[in-house]
Amino acid sequence: MTEAPDAPAIRIRGLRKHYGDKHAVDGLDLTVEQGAFFGLLGPNGAGKTTTIGTLTGLVRPTAGTVEVFGRDCWRDPAAARRLIGVCPQEPNFDDFLGLERILAYHAGYFGVPYAKALDRARDLLRFFDLHDYRQKRSSTLSGGMKRRLLLARALMHEPRLLVLDEPTAGVDVELRRGLWEHVRRLNEEEGITVLLTTHYLEEAEALCDSVTVIDQGKVVESGSPDDLRAKYGVRRVVVTPEHVPDGVEPAEFGFRVDDRGRCVLESTDPTASMRGLLRCLDDAGVEVLDLEVTQSRLEDVFVELTRRGTLRAPDGVGP
Ligand SMILES: Nc1ncnc2c1ncn2[C@@H]1O[C@H](COP(=O)(O)OP(=O)(O)OP(=O)(O)O)[C@@H](O)[C@H]1O
Ligand SMILES: [Mg+2]
């Protein structure tokens, strides 16, 4: 059986998952087109892993529909599951098996014959630089090696959708970049659709062509990283000497003194006129000695969404 050729890679409608009074997912609609590199972002407890669980058969929805490539994940679970490779947030290997068996048995669940699966396992272990450990138990691996093994396992049955739940949490910078490269190549060269959740906004910025921010199980914002930056971006103009005289209040810009004692004028309105600002300062006789316009990052978008009260303030954790 083949899946619907034009169906989105992921189509979620009206998804709810309630645990008693807790609404982990609370009416979520999400569409991810085929071939996309999609980021699902949000603070701790936003509902990202729960949403992923409904795709992979681990979390039964309270209401709503979840489809991959036109296959309903709950009415046609075997067909849907075959299309998805998952890197779960927590490594969940069988500690008693050697690496190549972990991979080969996994492919076996999807009907890949053992000899063929073993060949592919060895190829992937080589690719992820784990071949020397192929007979070792997973419990002997470092955290970063386990992350690579998770990715290898997710790819064993040649999925069309790769779901990565914080694949680089706790991974050092070099390995993180290596994993990005692998995943980017899979997306660009093999056309594998990627759903990524991450707390590293720079990662989402570097990799994703569209992102959705969720909180308390609901969509807060969606768009390309560029769209969100344009919408919530902060322009900064640094002015020296330190103070703008009292009474000078350029429209659409607020100002503060930064930790180096400079006066920083900034606006969260992407349409705010820089020319208007400069004219206003000029009229007030304020000399603009240094001018700096910074391109904001997705991180600024989170800060801005939190400032506006759209996102809950993190309680010491999360973005
Ligand atoms: N099995 C469960 N029983 C009860 N509550 C749960 C269960 N699983 C998740 N939750 C709750 O649902 C909410 C969403 O959790 P989820 O793991 O989906 O968040 P997340 O966005 O993945 O967070 P993180 O960034 O920390 O991984 C949380 O408040 C969590 O405590
Ligand atoms: Mg999670």
Side-chain angles (χ1 to χ4, degrees), residues 105-156:
Y105 288 175
H106 178 79
Y109 298 137
F110 298 98
V112 181
Y114 190 70
K116 188 174 170 211
L118 206 54
D119 279 349
R120 183 158 170 82
R122 288 177 182 155
D123 284 348
L124 282 167
L125 288 170
R126 220 170 270 119
F127 184 75
F128 285 106
D129 216 7
L130 290 168
H131 196 251
D132 291 349
Y133 299 84
R134 62 192 179 281
Q135 308 284 1
K136 297 257 194 282
R137 292 177 177 190
S138 64
S139 53
T140 66
L141 300 183
S142 75
M145 289 161 133
K146 284 183 185 161
R147 289 279 154 201
R148 300 204 304 262
L149 185 63
L150 280 175
L151 198 48
R153 187 183 63 182
L155 295 170
M156 274 301 292

Side-chain angles (χ1 to χ4, degrees), residues 19 22 24 42-51 89 166 199:
Y19 295 104
K22 175 87 217 172
N44 287 128
K48 304 179 296 293
T49 299
T50 306
T51 301
Q89 190 164 359
E166 303 204 32
H199 284 280

